[in-house]
Amino acid sequence: MCYCKDCRAYSHHLGQASTVHDALGGAEFVATQAPYVSLSGGTQQLACVSLSQKGLLRWYAKCCNTPIANTTRNWKFPYVGLLHTGLKADAGAYERAFPRLQMRVNTGSAKEAPPGMAFSTIVALMGFMPRVLASGVNGSYRQTPFFNAPAGTPKVDVVVLSKAERERAYAAAAYA
């Protein structure tokens, strides 16, 4: 669960805040690696936005503004944060496929203090990060629905929000 102001600004920019965030402002993600992600259809609707020139790449379906995932700009670091909104069509299957909440991050930006999870967050990161780094070494990062191989460029043009768009998104997120 991520509580950062950037995630909230992004979902507000897409007009999806009410479906993405819980009462404390957290967005539920499944943290995975690019080789484990595939898009089964609708790839012609894939779009990408970034809040700034150096910010995360935030992928969504442009037909309905549904957030899909966040990635870094460097495809050799194949972290993918899949938003729950694209995974919960079958809530029962989702609950069986993914473990219970393991991390809460950026809790300082939550609307109220969420329950603590410091130990489980550290354990989860210690298990996950070495696998992400290994895929950067063994080349499996090249298997991704978001970047073109061998260049490592995003599959679609990245739209960087203007200063005015970014300010509107952050302002909306602050008052929601």
Side-chain angles (χ1 to χ4, degrees):
M1 189 74 72
C2 180
Y3 297 91
C4 80
K5 61 183 180 177
D6 291 347
C7 284
R8 285 201 308 275
Y10 164 59
S11 65
H12 277 276
H13 174 73
L14 295 180
Q16 297 294 322
S18 64
T19 59
V20 172
H21 297 280
D22 68 8
L24 298 179
E28 185 177 347
F29 288 88
V30 172
T32 189
Q33 298 173 58
Y36 302 119
V37 178
S38 64
L39 302 176
S40 59
T43 55
Q44 71 281 6
Q45 296 297 329
L46 187 64
C48 185
V49 68
S50 184
L51 298 176
S52 68
Q53 290 291 336
K54 295 183 180 182
L56 288 177
L57 299 182
R58 297 171 185 275
W59 304 85
Y60 66 100
K62 65 184 172 188
C63 55
C64 58
N65 283 351
T66 298
I68 298 170
N70 295 338
T71 66
T72 66
R73 288 177 174 270
N74 181 354
W75 80 316
K76 291 181 180 180
F77 187 80
Y79 162 79
V80 177
L82 293 170
L83 278 104
H84 69 91
T85 52
L87 299 172
K88 284 192 173 178
D90 178 346
Y94 178 84
E95 297 301 325
R96 288 187 301 278
F98 301 108
R100 70 189 189 306
L101 180 63
Q102 296 179 346
M103 293 187 273
R104 286 192 174 93
V105 296
N106 302 309
T107 56
S109 296
K111 293 179 181 181
E112 295 176 21
M117 295 185 78
F119 181 73
S120 63
T121 296
I122 292 168
V123 169
L125 286 172
M126 288 176 57
F128 181 69
M129 292 311 294
R131 292 191 305 267
V132 171
L133 296 173
S135 65
V137 172
N138 69 23
S140 64
Y141 65 87
R142 291 180 183 98
Q143 302 167 14
T144 172
F146 303 110
F147 294 92
N148 296 308
T153 56
K155 287 205 174 181
V156 300
D157 291 336
V158 176
V159 174
V160 177
L161 295 186
S162 69
K163 183 178 179 186
E165 289 171 318
R166 194 170 44 255
E167 287 173 356
R168 276 194 301 277
Y170 282 118
Y175 295 107

